[in-house]
PDB file of all heavy atoms in Angstrom:
ATOM      1  N   CYS A 155      75.094  26.971 -11.420  1.00 92.00           N
ATOM      2  CA  CYS A 155      75.052  26.323 -12.739  1.00 92.00           C
ATOM      3  C   CYS A 155      74.891  27.354 -13.853  1.00 92.00           C
ATOM      4  O   CYS A 155      75.494  27.218 -14.925  1.00 92.00           O
ATOM      5  CB  CYS A 155      73.911  25.310 -12.796  1.00 92.00           C
ATOM      6  SG  CYS A 155      74.141  23.853 -11.752  1.00 92.00           S
ATOM      7  N   GLN A 156      74.104  28.382 -13.607  1.00 90.00           N
ATOM      8  CA  GLN A 156      73.905  29.412 -14.624  1.00 90.00           C
ATOM      9  C   GLN A 156      75.193  30.169 -14.920  1.00 90.00           C
ATOM     10  O   GLN A 156      75.428  30.589 -16.052  1.00 90.00           O
ATOM     11  CB  GLN A 156      72.798  30.373 -14.193  1.00 90.00           C
ATOM     12  CG  GLN A 156      71.404  29.748 -14.229  1.00 90.00           C
ATOM     13  CD  GLN A 156      70.331  30.673 -13.681  1.00 90.00           C
ATOM     14  OE1 GLN A 156      70.621  31.667 -13.010  1.00 90.00           O
ATOM     15  NE2 GLN A 156      69.072  30.339 -13.944  1.00 90.00           N
ATOM     16  N   ARG A 157      76.031  30.332 -13.909  1.00 90.00           N
ATOM     17  CA  ARG A 157      77.291  31.066 -14.105  1.00 90.00           C
ATOM     18  C   ARG A 157      78.264  30.316 -15.015  1.00 90.00           C
ATOM     19  O   ARG A 157      79.191  30.921 -15.558  1.00 90.00           O
ATOM     20  CB  ARG A 157      77.948  31.373 -12.753  1.00 90.00           C
ATOM     21  CG  ARG A 157      77.298  32.514 -11.987  1.00 90.00           C
ATOM     22  CD  ARG A 157      78.186  33.020 -10.869  1.00 90.00           C
ATOM     23  NE  ARG A 157      78.319  32.058  -9.803  1.00 90.00           N
ATOM     24  CZ  ARG A 157      77.512  31.999  -8.746  1.00 90.00           C
ATOM     25  NH1 ARG A 157      76.514  32.862  -8.618  1.00 90.00           N
ATOM     26  NH2 ARG A 157      77.700  31.092  -7.800  1.00 90.00           N
ATOM     27  N   VAL A 158      78.072  29.020 -15.165  1.00 86.00           N
ATOM     28  CA  VAL A 158      78.925  28.249 -16.085  1.00 86.00           C
ATOM     29  C   VAL A 158      78.149  27.879 -17.347  1.00 86.00           C
ATOM     30  O   VAL A 158      78.420  26.869 -17.993  1.00 86.00           O
ATOM     31  CB  VAL A 158      79.495  26.988 -15.389  1.00 86.00           C
ATOM     32  CG1 VAL A 158      80.470  27.375 -14.293  1.00 86.00           C
ATOM     33  CG2 VAL A 158      78.376  26.093 -14.830  1.00 86.00           C
ATOM     34  N   ASN A 159      77.136  28.708 -17.678  1.00 84.00           N
ATOM     35  CA  ASN A 159      76.330  28.527 -18.900  1.00 84.00           C
ATOM     36  C   ASN A 159      75.575  27.204 -18.907  1.00 84.00           C
ATOM     37  O   ASN A 159      75.427  26.569 -19.952  1.00 84.00           O
ATOM     38  CB  ASN A 159      77.200  28.640 -20.154  1.00 84.00           C
ATOM     39  CG  ASN A 159      77.813  30.005 -20.310  1.00 84.00           C
ATOM     40  OD1 ASN A 159      77.171  31.014 -20.029  1.00 84.00           O
ATOM     41  ND2 ASN A 159      79.066  30.052 -20.743  1.00 84.00           N
ATOM     42  N   GLY A 160      75.113  26.788 -17.731  1.00 88.00           N
ATOM     43  CA  GLY A 160      74.362  25.547 -17.644  1.00 88.00           C
ATOM     44  C   GLY A 160      73.141  25.700 -16.765  1.00 88.00           C
ATOM     45  O   GLY A 160      72.668  26.814 -16.493  1.00 88.00           O
ATOM     46  N   SER A 161      72.617  24.580 -16.298  1.00 91.00           N
ATOM     47  CA  SER A 161      71.470  24.549 -15.399  1.00 91.00           C
ATOM     48  C   SER A 161      71.563  23.281 -14.568  1.00 91.00           C
ATOM     49  O   SER A 161      72.355  22.384 -14.870  1.00 91.00           O
ATOM     50  CB  SER A 161      70.159  24.585 -16.189  1.00 91.00           C
ATOM     51  OG  SER A 161      70.068  23.440 -17.028  1.00 91.00           O
ATOM     52  N   LEU A 162      70.760  23.206 -13.504  1.00 93.00           N
ATOM     53  CA  LEU A 162      70.678  21.941 -12.779  1.00 93.00           C
ATOM     54  C   LEU A 162      70.184  20.865 -13.744  1.00 93.00           C
ATOM     55  O   LEU A 162      69.284  21.097 -14.546  1.00 93.00           O
ATOM     56  CB  LEU A 162      69.719  22.061 -11.590  1.00 93.00           C
ATOM     57  CG  LEU A 162      70.262  22.771 -10.350  1.00 93.00           C
ATOM     58  CD1 LEU A 162      69.182  22.867  -9.280  1.00 93.00           C
ATOM     59  CD2 LEU A 162      71.488  22.061  -9.788  1.00 93.00           C
ATOM     60  N   ALA A 163      70.782  19.691 -13.665  1.00 92.00           N
ATOM     61  CA  ALA A 163      70.561  18.663 -14.680  1.00 92.00           C
ATOM     62  C   ALA A 163      69.134  18.128 -14.660  1.00 92.00           C
ATOM     63  O   ALA A 163      68.563  17.853 -13.607  1.00 92.00           O
ATOM     64  CB  ALA A 163      71.546  17.514 -14.476  1.00 92.00           C
ATOM     65  N   THR A 164      68.568  18.017 -15.857  1.00 91.00           N
ATOM     66  CA  THR A 164      67.361  17.233 -16.084  1.00 91.00           C
ATOM     67  C   THR A 164      67.692  16.221 -17.169  1.00 91.00           C
ATOM     68  O   THR A 164      68.714  16.338 -17.850  1.00 91.00           O
ATOM     69  CB  THR A 164      66.186  18.129 -16.532  1.00 91.00           C
ATOM     70  OG1 THR A 164      66.603  18.924 -17.652  1.00 91.00           O
ATOM     71  CG2 THR A 164      65.738  19.042 -15.405  1.00 91.00           C
ATOM     72  N   PHE A 165      66.829  15.235 -17.352  1.00 90.00           N
ATOM     73  CA  PHE A 165      67.171  14.112 -18.222  1.00 90.00           C
ATOM     74  C   PHE A 165      66.086  13.889 -19.268  1.00 90.00           C
ATOM     75  O   PHE A 165      64.898  14.036 -18.997  1.00 90.00           O
ATOM     76  CB  PHE A 165      67.365  12.848 -17.391  1.00 90.00           C
ATOM     77  CG  PHE A 165      68.263  13.068 -16.206  1.00 90.00           C
ATOM     78  CD1 PHE A 165      67.769  13.016 -14.915  1.00 90.00           C
ATOM     79  CD2 PHE A 165      69.603  13.384 -16.383  1.00 90.00           C
ATOM     80  CE1 PHE A 165      68.589  13.248 -13.823  1.00 90.00           C
ATOM     81  CE2 PHE A 165      70.433  13.620 -15.301  1.00 90.00           C
ATOM     82  CZ  PHE A 165      69.926  13.547 -14.021  1.00 90.00           C
ATOM     83  N   THR A 166      66.524  13.559 -20.478  1.00 86.00           N
ATOM     84  CA  THR A 166      65.597  13.373 -21.581  1.00 86.00           C
ATOM     85  C   THR A 166      65.077  11.949 -21.674  1.00 86.00           C
ATOM     86  O   THR A 166      64.009  11.721 -22.220  1.00 86.00           O
ATOM     87  CB  THR A 166      66.272  13.732 -22.910  1.00 86.00           C
ATOM     88  OG1 THR A 166      67.449  12.919 -23.069  1.00 86.00           O
ATOM     89  CG2 THR A 166      66.689  15.198 -22.936  1.00 86.00           C
ATOM     90  N   ALA A 167      65.834  10.987 -21.185  1.00 83.00           N
ATOM     91  CA  ALA A 167      65.449   9.582 -21.336  1.00 83.00           C
ATOM     92  C   ALA A 167      66.198   8.737 -20.322  1.00 83.00           C
ATOM     93  O   ALA A 167      67.142   9.198 -19.666  1.00 83.00           O
ATOM     94  CB  ALA A 167      65.748   9.088 -22.758  1.00 83.00           C
ATOM     95  N   ASP A 168      65.775   7.473 -20.193  1.00 84.00           N
ATOM     96  CA  ASP A 168      66.425   6.551 -19.265  1.00 84.00           C
ATOM     97  C   ASP A 168      67.910   6.367 -19.595  1.00 84.00           C
ATOM     98  O   ASP A 168      68.729   6.187 -18.695  1.00 84.00           O
ATOM     99  CB  ASP A 168      65.731   5.194 -19.297  1.00 84.00           C
ATOM    100  CG  ASP A 168      64.377   5.221 -18.598  1.00 84.00           C
ATOM    101  OD1 ASP A 168      64.143   6.154 -17.807  1.00 84.00           O
ATOM    102  OD2 ASP A 168      63.556   4.321 -18.850  1.00 84.00           O
ATOM    103  N   GLN A 169      68.241   6.398 -20.893  1.00 88.00           N
ATOM    104  CA  GLN A 169      69.634   6.182 -21.282  1.00 88.00           C
ATOM    105  C   GLN A 169      70.545   7.261 -20.701  1.00 88.00           C
ATOM    106  O   GLN A 169      71.659   6.976 -20.261  1.00 88.00           O
ATOM    107  CB  GLN A 169      69.758   6.171 -22.812  1.00 88.00           C
ATOM    108  CG  GLN A 169      69.103   4.970 -23.476  1.00 88.00           C
ATOM    109  CD  GLN A 169      67.639   5.229 -23.786  1.00 88.00           C
ATOM    110  OE1 GLN A 169      67.014   6.110 -23.198  1.00 88.00           O
ATOM    111  NE2 GLN A 169      67.103   4.459 -24.719  1.00 88.00           N
ATOM    112  N   GLU A 170      70.074   8.492 -20.701  1.00 90.00           N
ATOM    113  CA  GLU A 170      70.876   9.578 -20.143  1.00 90.00           C
ATOM    114  C   GLU A 170      71.030   9.410 -18.640  1.00 90.00           C
ATOM    115  O   GLU A 170      72.119   9.600 -18.087  1.00 90.00           O
ATOM    116  CB  GLU A 170      70.231  10.916 -20.461  1.00 90.00           C
ATOM    117  CG  GLU A 170      71.039  12.123 -19.980  1.00 90.00           C
ATOM    118  CD  GLU A 170      70.353  13.441 -20.259  1.00 90.00           C
ATOM    119  OE1 GLU A 170      69.187  13.426 -20.742  1.00 90.00           O
ATOM    120  OE2 GLU A 170      70.956  14.490 -19.986  1.00 90.00           O
ATOM    121  N   LEU A 171      69.965   9.037 -17.965  1.00 88.00           N
ATOM    122  CA  LEU A 171      70.039   8.815 -16.523  1.00 88.00           C
ATOM    123  C   LEU A 171      70.989   7.666 -16.209  1.00 88.00           C
ATOM    124  O   LEU A 171      71.783   7.753 -15.256  1.00 88.00           O
ATOM    125  CB  LEU A 171      68.650   8.538 -15.956  1.00 88.00           C
ATOM    126  CG  LEU A 171      68.575   8.237 -14.456  1.00 88.00           C
ATOM    127  CD1 LEU A 171      69.159   9.377 -13.637  1.00 88.00           C
ATOM    128  CD2 LEU A 171      67.130   7.950 -14.041  1.00 88.00           C
ATOM    129  N   ARG A 172      70.947   6.601 -16.995  1.00 88.00           N
ATOM    130  CA  ARG A 172      71.863   5.478 -16.759  1.00 88.00           C
ATOM    131  C   ARG A 172      73.317   5.915 -16.936  1.00 88.00           C
ATOM    132  O   ARG A 172      74.202   5.447 -16.219  1.00 88.00           O
ATOM    133  CB  ARG A 172      71.526   4.322 -17.702  1.00 88.00           C
ATOM    134  CG  ARG A 172      70.299   3.531 -17.289  1.00 88.00           C
ATOM    135  CD  ARG A 172      70.258   2.165 -17.966  1.00 88.00           C
ATOM    136  NE  ARG A 172      70.048   2.291 -19.399  1.00 88.00           N
ATOM    137  CZ  ARG A 172      68.856   2.280 -19.974  1.00 88.00           C
ATOM    138  NH1 ARG A 172      67.759   2.168 -19.230  1.00 88.00           N
ATOM    139  NH2 ARG A 172      68.736   2.367 -21.280  1.00 88.00           N
ATOM    140  N   PHE A 173      73.564   6.802 -17.888  1.00 89.00           N
ATOM    141  CA  PHE A 173      74.916   7.332 -18.065  1.00 89.00           C
ATOM    142  C   PHE A 173      75.369   8.062 -16.802  1.00 89.00           C
ATOM    143  O   PHE A 173      76.499   7.877 -16.326  1.00 89.00           O
ATOM    144  CB  PHE A 173      74.950   8.282 -19.262  1.00 89.00           C
ATOM    145  CG  PHE A 173      76.205   9.115 -19.347  1.00 89.00           C
ATOM    146  CD1 PHE A 173      77.369   8.592 -19.892  1.00 89.00           C
ATOM    147  CD2 PHE A 173      76.218  10.418 -18.871  1.00 89.00           C
ATOM    148  CE1 PHE A 173      78.529   9.351 -19.955  1.00 89.00           C
ATOM    149  CE2 PHE A 173      77.374  11.192 -18.934  1.00 89.00           C
ATOM    150  CZ  PHE A 173      78.533  10.646 -19.475  1.00 89.00           C
ATOM    151  N   ILE A 174      74.504   8.887 -16.241  1.00 89.00           N
ATOM    152  CA  ILE A 174      74.835   9.636 -15.029  1.00 89.00           C
ATOM    153  C   ILE A 174      75.120   8.688 -13.869  1.00 89.00           C
ATOM    154  O   ILE A 174      76.101   8.847 -13.128  1.00 89.00           O
ATOM    155  CB  ILE A 174      73.687  10.599 -14.660  1.00 89.00           C
ATOM    156  CG1 ILE A 174      73.520  11.677 -15.742  1.00 89.00           C
ATOM    157  CG2 ILE A 174      73.916  11.246 -13.294  1.00 89.00           C
ATOM    158  CD1 ILE A 174      74.723  12.569 -15.923  1.00 89.00           C
ATOM    159  N   LEU A 175      74.286   7.679 -13.702  1.00 87.00           N
ATOM    160  CA  LEU A 175      74.439   6.754 -12.577  1.00 87.00           C
ATOM    161  C   LEU A 175      75.707   5.918 -12.697  1.00 87.00           C
ATOM    162  O   LEU A 175      76.279   5.491 -11.688  1.00 87.00           O
ATOM    163  CB  LEU A 175      73.217   5.834 -12.494  1.00 87.00           C
ATOM    164  CG  LEU A 175      71.881   6.520 -12.206  1.00 87.00           C
ATOM    165  CD1 LEU A 175      70.739   5.524 -12.324  1.00 87.00           C
ATOM    166  CD2 LEU A 175      71.886   7.180 -10.842  1.00 87.00           C
ATOM    167  N   ALA A 176      76.164   5.677 -13.925  1.00 83.00           N
ATOM    168  CA  ALA A 176      77.339   4.817 -14.130  1.00 83.00           C
ATOM    169  C   ALA A 176      78.660   5.553 -13.941  1.00 83.00           C
ATOM    170  O   ALA A 176      79.710   4.909 -13.836  1.00 83.00           O
ATOM    171  CB  ALA A 176      77.302   4.217 -15.535  1.00 83.00           C
ATOM    172  N   GLN A 177      78.619   6.886 -13.871  1.00 82.00           N
ATOM    173  CA  GLN A 177      79.869   7.645 -13.769  1.00 82.00           C
ATOM    174  C   GLN A 177      80.492   7.517 -12.388  1.00 82.00           C
ATOM    175  O   GLN A 177      79.794   7.428 -11.374  1.00 82.00           O
ATOM    176  CB  GLN A 177      79.629   9.125 -14.085  1.00 82.00           C
ATOM    177  CG  GLN A 177      79.098   9.387 -15.478  1.00 82.00           C
ATOM    178  CD  GLN A 177      79.944   8.729 -16.536  1.00 82.00           C
ATOM    179  OE1 GLN A 177      81.132   9.012 -16.670  1.00 82.00           O
ATOM    180  NE2 GLN A 177      79.330   7.831 -17.299  1.00 82.00           N
ATOM    181  N   GLU A 178      81.812   7.524 -12.375  1.00 75.00           N
ATOM    182  CA  GLU A 178      82.537   7.555 -11.105  1.00 75.00           C
ATOM    183  C   GLU A 178      82.967   9.003 -10.873  1.00 75.00           C
ATOM    184  O   GLU A 178      84.030   9.443 -11.279  1.00 75.00           O
ATOM    185  CB  GLU A 178      83.753   6.641 -11.147  1.00 75.00           C
ATOM    186  CG  GLU A 178      84.441   6.495  -9.801  1.00 75.00           C
ATOM    187  CD  GLU A 178      85.498   5.401  -9.815  1.00 75.00           C
ATOM    188  OE1 GLU A 178      85.637   4.708 -10.831  1.00 75.00           O
ATOM    189  OE2 GLU A 178      86.184   5.252  -8.785  1.00 75.00           O
ATOM    190  N   TRP A 179      82.088   9.756 -10.248  1.00 72.00           N
ATOM    191  CA  TRP A 179      82.329  11.177 -10.042  1.00 72.00           C
ATOM    192  C   TRP A 179      83.466  11.382  -9.051  1.00 72.00           C
ATOM    193  O   TRP A 179      83.636  10.613  -8.105  1.00 72.00           O
ATOM    194  CB  TRP A 179      81.062  11.859  -9.533  1.00 72.00           C
ATOM    195  CG  TRP A 179      79.891  11.680 -10.442  1.00 72.00           C
ATOM    196  CD1 TRP A 179      78.880  10.769 -10.307  1.00 72.00           C
ATOM    197  CD2 TRP A 179      79.628  12.398 -11.649  1.00 72.00           C
ATOM    198  NE1 TRP A 179      77.996  10.880 -11.349  1.00 72.00           N
ATOM    199  CE2 TRP A 179      78.424  11.870 -12.192  1.00 72.00           C
ATOM    200  CE3 TRP A 179      80.281  13.431 -12.322  1.00 72.00           C
ATOM    201  CZ2 TRP A 179      77.872  12.353 -13.364  1.00 72.00           C
ATOM    202  CZ3 TRP A 179      79.727  13.908 -13.491  1.00 72.00           C
ATOM    203  CH2 TRP A 179      78.545  13.379 -14.004  1.00 72.00           C
ATOM    204  N   ASP A 180      84.235  12.428  -9.267  1.00 63.00           N
ATOM    205  CA  ASP A 180      85.343  12.759  -8.367  1.00 63.00           C
ATOM    206  C   ASP A 180      84.786  13.486  -7.147  1.00 63.00           C
ATOM    207  O   ASP A 180      84.722  14.713  -7.096  1.00 63.00           O
ATOM    208  CB  ASP A 180      86.366  13.644  -9.091  1.00 63.00           C
ATOM    209  CG  ASP A 180      86.999  12.929 -10.268  1.00 63.00           C
ATOM    210  OD1 ASP A 180      87.156  11.699 -10.179  1.00 63.00           O
ATOM    211  OD2 ASP A 180      87.315  13.598 -11.261  1.00 63.00           O
ATOM    212  N   LEU A 181      84.387  12.698  -6.163  1.00 55.00           N
ATOM    213  CA  LEU A 181      83.715  13.260  -5.001  1.00 55.00           C
ATOM    214  C   LEU A 181      84.445  12.894  -3.722  1.00 55.00           C
ATOM    215  O   LEU A 181      85.149  11.897  -3.647  1.00 55.00           O
ATOM    216  CB  LEU A 181      82.283  12.734  -4.913  1.00 55.00           C
ATOM    217  CG  LEU A 181      81.398  12.993  -6.149  1.00 55.00           C
ATOM    218  CD1 LEU A 181      80.056  12.329  -5.958  1.00 55.00           C
ATOM    219  CD2 LEU A 181      81.237  14.479  -6.360  1.00 55.00           C
ATOM    220  N   GLU A 182      84.241  13.741  -2.713  1.00 50.00           N
ATOM    221  CA  GLU A 182      84.806  13.468  -1.394  1.00 50.00           C
ATOM    222  C   GLU A 182      83.739  12.805  -0.532  1.00 50.00           C
ATOM    223  O   GLU A 182      82.572  13.180  -0.557  1.00 50.00           O
ATOM    224  CB  GLU A 182      85.259  14.774  -0.738  1.00 50.00           C
ATOM    225  CG  GLU A 182      86.348  15.493  -1.518  1.00 50.00           C
ATOM    226  CD  GLU A 182      86.653  16.854  -0.919  1.00 50.00           C
ATOM    227  OE1 GLU A 182      86.027  17.181   0.112  1.00 50.00           O
ATOM    228  OE2 GLU A 182      87.488  17.566  -1.480  1.00 50.00           O
ATOM    229  N   GLU A 183      84.166  11.834   0.227  1.00 44.00           N
ATOM    230  CA  GLU A 183      83.210  11.104   1.057  1.00 44.00           C
ATOM    231  C   GLU A 183      82.525  12.011   2.072  1.00 44.00           C
ATOM    232  O   GLU A 183      81.369  11.848   2.393  1.00 44.00           O
ATOM    233  CB  GLU A 183      83.918   9.948   1.775  1.00 44.00           C
ATOM    234  CG  GLU A 183      84.388   8.847   0.827  1.00 44.00           C
ATOM    235  CD  GLU A 183      85.127   7.749   1.561  1.00 44.00           C
ATOM    236  OE1 GLU A 183      85.376   7.935   2.768  1.00 44.00           O
ATOM    237  OE2 GLU A 183      85.447   6.730   0.955  1.00 44.00           O
ATOM    238  N   LYS A 184      83.262  13.001   2.583  1.00 45.00           N
ATOM    239  CA  LYS A 184      82.694  13.849   3.627  1.00 45.00           C
ATOM    240  C   LYS A 184      81.545  14.716   3.128  1.00 45.00           C
ATOM    241  O   LYS A 184      80.815  15.306   3.910  1.00 45.00           O
ATOM    242  CB  LYS A 184      83.782  14.745   4.219  1.00 45.00           C
ATOM    243  CG  LYS A 184      84.341  15.760   3.231  1.00 45.00           C
ATOM    244  CD  LYS A 184      85.433  16.586   3.871  1.00 45.00           C
ATOM    245  CE  LYS A 184      85.996  17.625   2.897  1.00 45.00           C
ATOM    246  NZ  LYS A 184      87.079  18.413   3.515  1.00 45.00           N
ATOM    247  N   ALA A 185      81.371  14.788   1.793  1.00 44.00           N
ATOM    248  CA  ALA A 185      80.297  15.602   1.242  1.00 44.00           C
ATOM    249  C   ALA A 185      78.944  14.895   1.345  1.00 44.00           C
ATOM    250  O   ALA A 185      77.923  15.481   1.025  1.00 44.00           O
ATOM    251  CB  ALA A 185      80.578  15.944  -0.211  1.00 44.00           C
ATOM    252  N   PHE A 186      78.925  13.656   1.824  1.00 43.00           N
ATOM    253  CA  PHE A 186      77.694  12.887   1.851  1.00 43.00           C
ATOM    254  C   PHE A 186      77.497  12.261   3.223  1.00 43.00           C
ATOM    255  O   PHE A 186      78.437  12.032   3.959  1.00 43.00           O
ATOM    256  CB  PHE A 186      77.711  11.804   0.767  1.00 43.00           C
ATOM    257  CG  PHE A 186      77.873  12.384  -0.601  1.00 43.00           C
ATOM    258  CD1 PHE A 186      79.133  12.587  -1.130  1.00 43.00           C
ATOM    259  CD2 PHE A 186      76.770  12.769  -1.328  1.00 43.00           C
ATOM    260  CE1 PHE A 186      79.289  13.146  -2.372  1.00 43.00           C
ATOM    261  CE2 PHE A 186      76.909  13.335  -2.565  1.00 43.00           C
ATOM    262  CZ  PHE A 186      78.170  13.522  -3.093  1.00 43.00           C
TER     263      PHE A 186
END
């Protein structure tokens, strides 16, 4: 995450967490 000028995600409020949970991330099933 640091290499892309970021960090592991933390959240400021419930609204931000709800945004994360509502996303349809482009993920592969085998990763879980």
Side-chain angles (χ1 to χ4, degrees):
C155 291
Q156 289 175 344
R157 284 195 291 270
V158 293
N159 297 321
S161 62
L162 282 178
T164 52
F165 311 112
T166 57
D168 286 341
Q169 292 88 339
E170 183 182 5
L171 178 58
R172 283 198 292 268
F173 167 82
I174 295 298
L175 297 173
Q177 299 308 300
E178 187 170 356
W179 303 99
D180 297 327
L181 303 176
E182 298 174 2
E183 292 178 353
K184 66 181 181 181
F186 301 89

